[in-house]
Amino acid sequence: MRGKDEQQLDVFSYISSEQRVPHDHPLRPLRVMTDEALRELQPRFNKLYAKTGRPSIAPEKLLRALLLQALYSVRSERMLMEQLNYNLLFRWFVGLNMDDSVWDVTVFTKNRERLLDGDIAEAFFQAVLQQARERNLLSDEHFTVDGTLLEAWASVKSYQRKDAKNGVPPDHPGNATVDFHGEKRSNETHQSKTDPDAKMARKGKGKEAKLSYHGNLLVENRHGLIVNSEVFEANGTAERDAALVMLEQIPGTRQVTVGGDKAYDTADFVAECRHLKVTPHVAQNLERPGGVRLMLARRSTLDMPSVRGRGSVSKNALDG
């Protein structure tokens, strides 16, 4: 018998969001690990908030929501709130009941600075990393480094000459028209007025240049878990500079290995890795002179016993 396509809105529901989530869903073990890490951060949360006043949104819920945004590649916090309004899986993970209202998107704007000032993100990362270390999931001798550009929040219109003086009044006080045609711009002569630390950079040949920072990761090779991260200015050598900083922070003095793409194929980077008792495995860059070929020519010098251990990156290496 054919059923009828009718929908009757029920006043009450006896099924919780906990029952809706499958028992084998990958977010279930992730929720357990997240809650364990957040419990360790309770003393930090208590210091960030006043003891009196109107209760705010729990920072645990904010962090769980931001974690969902990263896991599911939600493109904006406004879209995240829309998903959180009707997505039962998201509600369950964040910790909202079926009848709880979703907070306004500006809550993230108001609380982001507070969480950043308290180094909550770094503490949360270290708490999760400690769980992996206790379960013997981390390799302590084989690593991989890589980096990518992180687009800054500053507008391209804010990228103006450093010595610019007040010119023609803007045609619109909030979003003025800016014409860059025919103007040669570089990080030496131009700077963002709203984010001076952001640099104009591009991911590769033929790609558009954007105001960016350089994000870098150190990954252990046993299970592919991130063990360290650094954000540098996008100055052209940030990828190698950040890699050296992260490699020197590896505990111990035993010999370790690190893999990298052809961006790390420079004689200085390979030489500094050997001084840090790190064996580099980098892809050869045939489009650039030097690198592995220059390294082979200097092998007799670089193979000399090192008198330094990790934790002593030379100034020449960081200067590029």
Side-chain angles (χ1 to χ4, degrees), residues 72-113:
Y72 286 87
S73 300
V74 183
R75 66 175 182 265
S76 67
E77 292 167 354
R78 191 170 300 277
M79 182 63 69
L80 176 64
M81 291 298 96
E82 179 182 332
Q83 286 278 339
L84 197 58
N85 191 34
Y86 57 76
N87 193 321
L88 295 182
L89 177 64
F90 280 24
R91 277 182 167 269
W92 166 82
F93 188 86
V94 171
L96 293 176
N97 296 322
M98 299 288 288
D99 298 332
D100 291 342
S101 59
V102 177
W103 56 83
D104 191 83
V105 67
T106 57
V107 170
F108 287 106
T109 306
K110 296 177 180 178
N111 285 273
R112 182 180 290 108
E113 185 175 355

mmCIF file of all heavy atoms in Angstrom, residues 72-113:
data_model
loop_
_atom_site.group_PDB
_atom_site.id
_atom_site.type_symbol
_atom_site.label_atom_id
_atom_site.label_comp_id
_atom_site.label_asym_id
_atom_site.label_seq_id
_atom_site.Cartn_x
_atom_site.Cartn_y
_atom_site.Cartn_z
ATOM 1 N N TYR A 72 35.021 20.003 8.684
ATOM 2 C CA TYR A 72 34.069 19.930 7.581
ATOM 3 C C TYR A 72 34.236 21.072 6.578
ATOM 4 O O TYR A 72 33.392 21.236 5.691
ATOM 5 C CB TYR A 72 32.639 19.926 8.129
ATOM 6 C CG TYR A 72 32.258 18.606 8.756
ATOM 7 C CD1 TYR A 72 32.532 18.339 10.092
ATOM 8 C CD2 TYR A 72 31.641 17.606 8.014
ATOM 9 C CE1 TYR A 72 32.193 17.124 10.676
ATOM 10 C CE2 TYR A 72 31.288 16.396 8.585
ATOM 11 C CZ TYR A 72 31.570 16.163 9.918
ATOM 12 O OH TYR A 72 31.232 14.952 10.494
ATOM 13 N N SER A 73 35.294 21.843 6.698
ATOM 14 C CA SER A 73 35.620 22.912 5.746
ATOM 15 C C SER A 73 34.442 23.862 5.537
ATOM 16 O O SER A 73 34.086 24.205 4.406
ATOM 17 C CB SER A 73 36.063 22.311 4.392
ATOM 18 O OG SER A 73 37.193 21.502 4.546
ATOM 19 N N VAL A 74 33.816 24.263 6.628
ATOM 20 C CA VAL A 74 32.742 25.258 6.554
ATOM 21 C C VAL A 74 33.389 26.609 6.262
ATOM 22 O O VAL A 74 34.267 27.053 6.991
ATOM 23 C CB VAL A 74 31.932 25.301 7.859
ATOM 24 C CG1 VAL A 74 30.782 26.299 7.735
ATOM 25 C CG2 VAL A 74 31.399 23.911 8.184
ATOM 26 N N ARG A 75 32.946 27.270 5.202
ATOM 27 C CA ARG A 75 33.696 28.410 4.678
ATOM 28 C C ARG A 75 33.601 29.676 5.518
ATOM 29 O O ARG A 75 34.400 30.601 5.332
ATOM 30 C CB ARG A 75 33.242 28.709 3.249
ATOM 31 C CG ARG A 75 31.817 29.203 3.112
ATOM 32 C CD ARG A 75 31.507 29.586 1.671
ATOM 33 N NE ARG A 75 30.167 30.096 1.500
ATOM 34 C CZ ARG A 75 29.132 29.372 1.138
ATOM 35 N NH1 ARG A 75 29.305 28.075 0.925
ATOM 36 N NH2 ARG A 75 27.934 29.900 0.978
ATOM 37 N N SER A 76 32.636 29.771 6.421
ATOM 38 C CA SER A 76 32.517 30.973 7.236
ATOM 39 C C SER A 76 31.831 30.625 8.546
ATOM 40 O O SER A 76 31.136 29.604 8.657
ATOM 41 C CB SER A 76 31.722 32.061 6.499
ATOM 42 O OG SER A 76 30.369 31.680 6.340
ATOM 43 N N GLU A 77 32.014 31.477 9.531
ATOM 44 C CA GLU A 77 31.363 31.269 10.828
ATOM 45 C C GLU A 77 29.856 31.495 10.735
ATOM 46 O O GLU A 77 29.084 30.888 11.465
ATOM 47 C CB GLU A 77 31.998 32.196 11.861
ATOM 48 C CG GLU A 77 33.441 31.807 12.179
ATOM 49 C CD GLU A 77 34.185 32.884 12.941
ATOM 50 O OE1 GLU A 77 33.606 33.986 13.112
ATOM 51 O OE2 GLU A 77 35.332 32.639 13.342
ATOM 52 N N ARG A 78 29.431 32.359 9.811
ATOM 53 C CA ARG A 78 28.002 32.555 9.605
ATOM 54 C C ARG A 78 27.353 31.281 9.058
ATOM 55 O O ARG A 78 26.261 30.891 9.465
ATOM 56 C CB ARG A 78 27.778 33.730 8.655
ATOM 57 C CG ARG A 78 26.333 34.194 8.580
ATOM 58 C CD ARG A 78 26.248 35.493 7.821
ATOM 59 N NE ARG A 78 27.018 36.545 8.453
ATOM 60 C CZ ARG A 78 26.569 37.281 9.460
ATOM 61 N NH1 ARG A 78 25.346 37.065 9.939
ATOM 62 N NH2 ARG A 78 27.320 38.215 9.991
ATOM 63 N N MET A 79 28.049 30.631 8.103
ATOM 64 C CA MET A 79 27.551 29.363 7.596
ATOM 65 C C MET A 79 27.613 28.277 8.665
ATOM 66 O O MET A 79 26.755 27.382 8.723
ATOM 67 C CB MET A 79 28.373 28.934 6.376
ATOM 68 C CG MET A 79 27.909 27.636 5.727
ATOM 69 S SD MET A 79 26.248 27.715 5.059
ATOM 70 C CE MET A 79 26.514 28.851 3.685
ATOM 71 N N LEU A 80 28.609 28.358 9.540
ATOM 72 C CA LEU A 80 28.712 27.400 10.641
ATOM 73 C C LEU A 80 27.507 27.502 11.563
ATOM 74 O O LEU A 80 26.946 26.495 12.005
ATOM 75 C CB LEU A 80 30.004 27.639 11.419
ATOM 76 C CG LEU A 80 30.241 26.786 12.663
ATOM 77 C CD1 LEU A 80 30.375 25.321 12.295
ATOM 78 C CD2 LEU A 80 31.485 27.258 13.410
ATOM 79 N N MET A 81 27.076 28.714 11.862
ATOM 80 C CA MET A 81 25.903 28.903 12.710
ATOM 81 C C MET A 81 24.634 28.407 12.032
ATOM 82 O O MET A 81 23.732 27.870 12.682
ATOM 83 C CB MET A 81 25.755 30.382 13.070
ATOM 84 C CG MET A 81 26.827 30.914 14.012
ATOM 85 S SD MET A 81 26.831 30.080 15.621
ATOM 86 C CE MET A 81 28.113 28.847 15.364
ATOM 87 N N GLU A 82 24.564 28.560 10.717
ATOM 88 C CA GLU A 82 23.409 28.033 9.984
ATOM 89 C C GLU A 82 23.358 26.515 10.074
ATOM 90 O O GLU A 82 22.296 25.925 10.290
ATOM 91 C CB GLU A 82 23.477 28.487 8.524
ATOM 92 C CG GLU A 82 22.325 27.981 7.667
ATOM 93 C CD GLU A 82 22.441 28.416 6.226
ATOM 94 O OE1 GLU A 82 23.043 29.466 5.961
ATOM 95 O OE2 GLU A 82 21.913 27.692 5.346
ATOM 96 N N GLN A 83 24.527 25.877 9.915
ATOM 97 C CA GLN A 83 24.596 24.423 10.041
ATOM 98 C C GLN A 83 24.249 23.985 11.455
ATOM 99 O O GLN A 83 23.546 22.998 11.664
ATOM 100 C CB GLN A 83 25.994 23.939 9.672
ATOM 101 C CG GLN A 83 26.322 23.966 8.190
ATOM 102 C CD GLN A 83 25.773 22.748 7.473
ATOM 103 O OE1 GLN A 83 25.500 21.724 8.087
ATOM 104 N NE2 GLN A 83 25.597 22.879 6.170
ATOM 105 N N LEU A 84 24.728 24.733 12.417
ATOM 106 C CA LEU A 84 24.503 24.371 13.815
ATOM 107 C C LEU A 84 23.031 24.498 14.199
ATOM 108 O O LEU A 84 22.574 23.861 15.154
ATOM 109 C CB LEU A 84 25.356 25.260 14.715
ATOM 110 C CG LEU A 84 25.591 24.803 16.160
ATOM 111 C CD1 LEU A 84 26.251 23.437 16.186
ATOM 112 C CD2 LEU A 84 26.459 25.822 16.892
ATOM 113 N N ASN A 85 22.277 25.272 13.453
ATOM 114 C CA ASN A 85 20.869 25.479 13.746
ATOM 115 C C ASN A 85 20.026 24.252 13.430
ATOM 116 O O ASN A 85 19.083 23.930 14.162
ATOM 117 C CB ASN A 85 20.352 26.693 12.989
ATOM 118 C CG ASN A 85 18.975 27.117 13.449
ATOM 119 O OD1 ASN A 85 18.637 26.997 14.623
ATOM 120 N ND2 ASN A 85 18.170 27.607 12.520
ATOM 121 N N TYR A 86 20.366 23.543 12.328
ATOM 122 C CA TYR A 86 19.521 22.420 11.909
ATOM 123 C C TYR A 86 20.258 21.092 11.800
ATOM 124 O O TYR A 86 19.637 20.051 11.588
ATOM 125 C CB TYR A 86 18.840 22.721 10.563
ATOM 126 C CG TYR A 86 19.775 23.053 9.434
ATOM 127 C CD1 TYR A 86 20.519 22.068 8.786
ATOM 128 C CD2 TYR A 86 19.908 24.353 8.981
ATOM 129 C CE1 TYR A 86 21.366 22.378 7.744
ATOM 130 C CE2 TYR A 86 20.752 24.678 7.935
ATOM 131 C CZ TYR A 86 21.485 23.682 7.316
ATOM 132 O OH TYR A 86 22.326 23.997 6.286
ATOM 133 N N ASN A 87 21.579 21.096 11.930
ATOM 134 C CA ASN A 87 22.344 19.856 11.808
ATOM 135 C C ASN A 87 22.436 19.180 13.180
ATOM 136 O O ASN A 87 23.110 19.677 14.092
ATOM 137 C CB ASN A 87 23.751 20.163 11.266
ATOM 138 C CG ASN A 87 24.486 18.913 10.828
ATOM 139 O OD1 ASN A 87 24.394 17.872 11.471
ATOM 140 N ND2 ASN A 87 25.213 19.021 9.725
ATOM 141 N N LEU A 88 21.767 18.039 13.331
ATOM 142 C CA LEU A 88 21.742 17.357 14.626
ATOM 143 C C LEU A 88 23.119 16.842 15.018
ATOM 144 O O LEU A 88 23.462 16.809 16.201
ATOM 145 C CB LEU A 88 20.739 16.204 14.582
ATOM 146 C CG LEU A 88 19.271 16.590 14.392
ATOM 147 C CD1 LEU A 88 18.394 15.338 14.409
ATOM 148 C CD2 LEU A 88 18.817 17.563 15.458
ATOM 149 N N LEU A 89 23.903 16.428 14.039
ATOM 150 C CA LEU A 89 25.252 15.942 14.333
ATOM 151 C C LEU A 89 26.102 17.063 14.910
ATOM 152 O O LEU A 89 26.820 16.864 15.900
ATOM 153 C CB LEU A 89 25.901 15.388 13.067
ATOM 154 C CG LEU A 89 27.350 14.903 13.200
ATOM 155 C CD1 LEU A 89 27.435 13.715 14.144
ATOM 156 C CD2 LEU A 89 27.927 14.559 11.833
ATOM 157 N N PHE A 90 26.022 18.248 14.332
ATOM 158 C CA PHE A 90 26.784 19.387 14.836
ATOM 159 C C PHE A 90 26.314 19.779 16.234
ATOM 160 O O PHE A 90 27.125 20.103 17.103
ATOM 161 C CB PHE A 90 26.650 20.567 13.879
ATOM 162 C CG PHE A 90 27.539 20.481 12.664
ATOM 163 C CD1 PHE A 90 27.999 19.265 12.209
ATOM 164 C CD2 PHE A 90 27.915 21.622 11.980
ATOM 165 C CE1 PHE A 90 28.817 19.173 11.087
ATOM 166 C CE2 PHE A 90 28.741 21.556 10.866
ATOM 167 C CZ PHE A 90 29.190 20.329 10.419
ATOM 168 N N ARG A 91 25.002 19.775 16.442
ATOM 169 C CA ARG A 91 24.466 20.117 17.754
ATOM 170 C C ARG A 91 24.974 19.152 18.821
ATOM 171 O O ARG A 91 25.351 19.561 19.918
ATOM 172 C CB ARG A 91 22.938 20.095 17.717
ATOM 173 C CG ARG A 91 22.307 21.359 17.181
ATOM 174 C CD ARG A 91 20.791 21.280 17.229
ATOM 175 N NE ARG A 91 20.218 22.601 16.996
ATOM 176 C CZ ARG A 91 19.928 23.471 17.934
ATOM 177 N NH1 ARG A 91 20.145 23.160 19.202
ATOM 178 N NH2 ARG A 91 19.420 24.651 17.649
ATOM 179 N N TRP A 92 24.978 17.886 18.497
ATOM 180 C CA TRP A 92 25.435 16.889 19.470
ATOM 181 C C TRP A 92 26.908 17.088 19.797
ATOM 182 O O TRP A 92 27.304 17.029 20.968
ATOM 183 C CB TRP A 92 25.211 15.479 18.900
ATOM 184 C CG TRP A 92 25.938 14.421 19.666
ATOM 185 C CD1 TRP A 92 25.557 13.813 20.819
ATOM 186 C CD2 TRP A 92 27.214 13.841 19.315
ATOM 187 N NE1 TRP A 92 26.495 12.900 21.230
ATOM 188 C CE2 TRP A 92 27.530 12.903 20.327
ATOM 189 C CE3 TRP A 92 28.100 14.026 18.275
ATOM 190 C CZ2 TRP A 92 28.691 12.144 20.302
ATOM 191 C CZ3 TRP A 92 29.265 13.286 18.253
ATOM 192 C CH2 TRP A 92 29.555 12.360 19.259
ATOM 193 N N PHE A 93 27.734 17.339 18.790
ATOM 194 C CA PHE A 93 29.174 17.464 19.019
ATOM 195 C C PHE A 93 29.486 18.716 19.843
ATOM 196 O O PHE A 93 30.328 18.680 20.753
ATOM 197 C CB PHE A 93 29.921 17.516 17.687
ATOM 198 C CG PHE A 93 31.412 17.453 17.826
ATOM 199 C CD1 PHE A 93 32.074 16.237 17.910
ATOM 200 C CD2 PHE A 93 32.174 18.615 17.878
ATOM 201 C CE1 PHE A 93 33.449 16.173 18.046
ATOM 202 C CE2 PHE A 93 33.542 18.572 18.018
ATOM 203 C CZ PHE A 93 34.185 17.348 18.101
ATOM 204 N N VAL A 94 28.806 19.822 19.538
ATOM 205 C CA VAL A 94 29.067 21.071 20.246
ATOM 206 C C VAL A 94 28.566 21.007 21.684
ATOM 207 O O VAL A 94 29.172 21.568 22.594
ATOM 208 C CB VAL A 94 28.440 22.250 19.490
ATOM 209 C CG1 VAL A 94 28.506 23.531 20.321
ATOM 210 C CG2 VAL A 94 29.158 22.458 18.168
ATOM 211 N N GLY A 95 27.447 20.286 21.885
ATOM 212 C CA GLY A 95 26.878 20.170 23.220
ATOM 213 C C GLY A 95 25.599 20.959 23.399
ATOM 214 O O GLY A 95 25.287 21.374 24.530
ATOM 215 N N LEU A 96 24.859 21.175 22.310
ATOM 216 C CA LEU A 96 23.593 21.893 22.369
ATOM 217 C C LEU A 96 22.438 20.905 22.404
ATOM 218 O O LEU A 96 22.439 19.910 21.672
ATOM 219 C CB LEU A 96 23.438 22.814 21.154
ATOM 220 C CG LEU A 96 24.395 24.005 21.055
ATOM 221 C CD1 LEU A 96 24.164 24.756 19.753
ATOM 222 C CD2 LEU A 96 24.245 24.922 22.245
ATOM 223 N N ASN A 97 21.445 21.193 23.244
ATOM 224 C CA ASN A 97 20.237 20.388 23.272
ATOM 225 C C ASN A 97 19.356 20.715 22.071
ATOM 226 O O ASN A 97 19.575 21.711 21.363
ATOM 227 C CB ASN A 97 19.472 20.613 24.577
ATOM 228 C CG ASN A 97 20.257 20.147 25.785
ATOM 229 O OD1 ASN A 97 20.948 19.122 25.742
ATOM 230 N ND2 ASN A 97 20.168 20.906 26.877
ATOM 231 N N MET A 98 18.344 19.891 21.863
ATOM 232 C CA MET A 98 17.476 20.076 20.708
ATOM 233 C C MET A 98 16.766 21.427 20.743
ATOM 234 O O MET A 98 16.522 22.033 19.697
ATOM 235 C CB MET A 98 16.450 18.951 20.656
ATOM 236 C CG MET A 98 17.057 17.564 20.510
ATOM 237 S SD MET A 98 17.722 17.276 18.865
ATOM 238 C CE MET A 98 16.220 17.141 17.921
ATOM 239 N N ASP A 99 16.420 21.918 21.925
ATOM 240 C CA ASP A 99 15.665 23.161 22.048
ATOM 241 C C ASP A 99 16.546 24.377 22.293
ATOM 242 O O ASP A 99 16.032 25.496 22.380
ATOM 243 C CB ASP A 99 14.646 23.051 23.198
ATOM 244 C CG ASP A 99 13.622 21.966 22.948
ATOM 245 O OD1 ASP A 99 13.347 21.686 21.767
ATOM 246 O OD2 ASP A 99 13.104 21.397 23.932
ATOM 247 N N ASP A 100 17.852 24.197 22.405
ATOM 248 C CA ASP A 100 18.750 25.329 22.645
ATOM 249 C C ASP A 100 18.855 26.205 21.406
ATOM 250 O O ASP A 100 18.981 25.698 20.280
ATOM 251 C CB ASP A 100 20.140 24.851 23.051
ATOM 252 C CG ASP A 100 20.144 24.208 24.427
ATOM 253 O OD1 ASP A 100 19.181 24.433 25.177
ATOM 254 O OD2 ASP A 100 21.099 23.467 24.737
ATOM 255 N N SER A 101 18.819 27.503 21.608
ATOM 256 C CA SER A 101 18.973 28.426 20.487
ATOM 257 C C SER A 101 20.450 28.592 20.139
ATOM 258 O O SER A 101 21.325 28.471 20.994
ATOM 259 C CB SER A 101 18.363 29.787 20.841
ATOM 260 O OG SER A 101 18.995 30.323 21.996
ATOM 261 N N VAL A 102 20.702 28.882 18.879
ATOM 262 C CA VAL A 102 22.074 29.079 18.412
ATOM 263 C C VAL A 102 22.480 30.522 18.672
ATOM 264 O O VAL A 102 21.686 31.448 18.476
ATOM 265 C CB VAL A 102 22.179 28.753 16.910
ATOM 266 C CG1 VAL A 102 23.585 29.012 16.391
ATOM 267 C CG2 VAL A 102 21.784 27.304 16.666
ATOM 268 N N TRP A 103 23.699 30.729 19.133
ATOM 269 C CA TRP A 103 24.145 32.076 19.451
ATOM 270 C C TRP A 103 24.458 32.855 18.179
ATOM 271 O O TRP A 103 24.615 32.300 17.090
ATOM 272 C CB TRP A 103 25.366 32.030 20.359
ATOM 273 C CG TRP A 103 26.522 31.240 19.816
ATOM 274 C CD1 TRP A 103 27.468 31.664 18.946
ATOM 275 C CD2 TRP A 103 26.852 29.867 20.114
ATOM 276 N NE1 TRP A 103 28.370 30.664 18.684
ATOM 277 C CE2 TRP A 103 28.017 29.551 19.383
ATOM 278 C CE3 TRP A 103 26.277 28.888 20.926
ATOM 279 C CZ2 TRP A 103 28.614 28.294 19.435
ATOM 280 C CZ3 TRP A 103 26.879 27.636 20.975
ATOM 281 C CH2 TRP A 103 28.028 27.355 20.239
ATOM 282 N N ASP A 104 24.561 34.146 18.320
ATOM 283 C CA ASP A 104 24.846 35.017 17.180
ATOM 284 C C ASP A 104 26.286 34.827 16.716
ATOM 285 O O ASP A 104 27.185 34.511 17.509
ATOM 286 C CB ASP A 104 24.614 36.482 17.560
ATOM 287 C CG ASP A 104 24.638 37.393 16.351
ATOM 288 O OD1 ASP A 104 23.602 37.505 15.676
ATOM 289 O OD2 ASP A 104 25.709 37.981 16.093
ATOM 290 N N VAL A 105 26.502 35.046 15.422
ATOM 291 C CA VAL A 105 27.834 34.811 14.853
ATOM 292 C C VAL A 105 28.871 35.773 15.425
ATOM 293 O O VAL A 105 30.076 35.466 15.450
ATOM 294 C CB VAL A 105 27.767 34.925 13.316
ATOM 295 C CG1 VAL A 105 27.461 36.354 12.899
ATOM 296 C CG2 VAL A 105 29.048 34.424 12.679
ATOM 297 N N THR A 106 28.443 36.938 15.907
ATOM 298 C CA THR A 106 29.394 37.903 16.466
ATOM 299 C C THR A 106 30.017 37.426 17.773
ATOM 300 O O THR A 106 30.978 38.034 18.249
ATOM 301 C CB THR A 106 28.704 39.254 16.698
ATOM 302 O OG1 THR A 106 27.569 39.062 17.552
ATOM 303 C CG2 THR A 106 28.234 39.858 15.381
ATOM 304 N N VAL A 107 29.477 36.353 18.346
ATOM 305 C CA VAL A 107 30.074 35.800 19.562
ATOM 306 C C VAL A 107 31.509 35.372 19.303
ATOM 307 O O VAL A 107 32.395 35.528 20.145
ATOM 308 C CB VAL A 107 29.231 34.623 20.086
ATOM 309 C CG1 VAL A 107 29.955 33.883 21.203
ATOM 310 C CG2 VAL A 107 27.880 35.132 20.587
ATOM 311 N N PHE A 108 31.768 34.816 18.105
ATOM 312 C CA PHE A 108 33.131 34.412 17.771
ATOM 313 C C PHE A 108 34.037 35.639 17.698
ATOM 314 O O PHE A 108 35.181 35.613 18.157
ATOM 315 C CB PHE A 108 33.149 33.684 16.429
ATOM 316 C CG PHE A 108 32.579 32.298 16.501
ATOM 317 C CD1 PHE A 108 31.323 32.028 15.981
ATOM 318 C CD2 PHE A 108 33.277 31.258 17.082
ATOM 319 C CE1 PHE A 108 30.787 30.755 16.036
ATOM 320 C CE2 PHE A 108 32.749 29.984 17.148
ATOM 321 C CZ PHE A 108 31.497 29.737 16.626
ATOM 322 N N THR A 109 33.528 36.715 17.120
ATOM 323 C CA THR A 109 34.337 37.925 16.994
ATOM 324 C C THR A 109 34.716 38.484 18.360
ATOM 325 O O THR A 109 35.851 38.904 18.581
ATOM 326 C CB THR A 109 33.568 38.979 16.187
ATOM 327 O OG1 THR A 109 33.165 38.412 14.940
ATOM 328 C CG2 THR A 109 34.433 40.189 15.926
ATOM 329 N N LYS A 110 33.788 38.460 19.275
ATOM 330 C CA LYS A 110 34.026 39.031 20.598
ATOM 331 C C LYS A 110 34.924 38.152 21.464
ATOM 332 O O LYS A 110 35.657 38.649 22.313
ATOM 333 C CB LYS A 110 32.696 39.264 21.304
ATOM 334 C CG LYS A 110 31.796 40.281 20.616
ATOM 335 C CD LYS A 110 30.473 40.418 21.319
ATOM 336 C CE LYS A 110 29.571 41.430 20.624
ATOM 337 N NZ LYS A 110 28.250 41.540 21.289
ATOM 338 N N ASN A 111 34.858 36.835 21.252
ATOM 339 C CA ASN A 111 35.605 35.918 22.109
ATOM 340 C C ASN A 111 36.926 35.459 21.505
ATOM 341 O O ASN A 111 37.744 34.879 22.214
ATOM 342 C CB ASN A 111 34.755 34.687 22.421
ATOM 343 C CG ASN A 111 33.665 34.979 23.422
ATOM 344 O OD1 ASN A 111 33.867 34.914 24.625
ATOM 345 N ND2 ASN A 111 32.492 35.330 22.924
ATOM 346 N N ARG A 112 37.139 35.710 20.202
ATOM 347 C CA ARG A 112 38.365 35.226 19.568
ATOM 348 C C ARG A 112 39.600 35.858 20.198
ATOM 349 O O ARG A 112 40.588 35.178 20.485
ATOM 350 C CB ARG A 112 38.325 35.510 18.068
ATOM 351 C CG ARG A 112 39.577 34.980 17.336
ATOM 352 C CD ARG A 112 39.529 35.272 15.854
ATOM 353 N NE ARG A 112 38.511 34.468 15.197
ATOM 354 C CZ ARG A 112 37.355 34.939 14.735
ATOM 355 N NH1 ARG A 112 37.071 36.234 14.876
ATOM 356 N NH2 ARG A 112 36.499 34.159 14.141
ATOM 357 N N GLU A 113 39.556 37.161 20.414
ATOM 358 C CA GLU A 113 40.709 37.842 21.005
ATOM 359 C C GLU A 113 40.979 37.334 22.419
ATOM 360 O O GLU A 113 42.139 37.186 22.822
ATOM 361 C CB GLU A 113 40.463 39.347 21.016
ATOM 362 C CG GLU A 113 41.652 40.158 21.513
ATOM 363 C CD GLU A 113 41.410 41.646 21.401
ATOM 364 O OE1 GLU A 113 40.362 42.032 20.854
ATOM 365 O OE2 GLU A 113 42.281 42.406 21.869
#
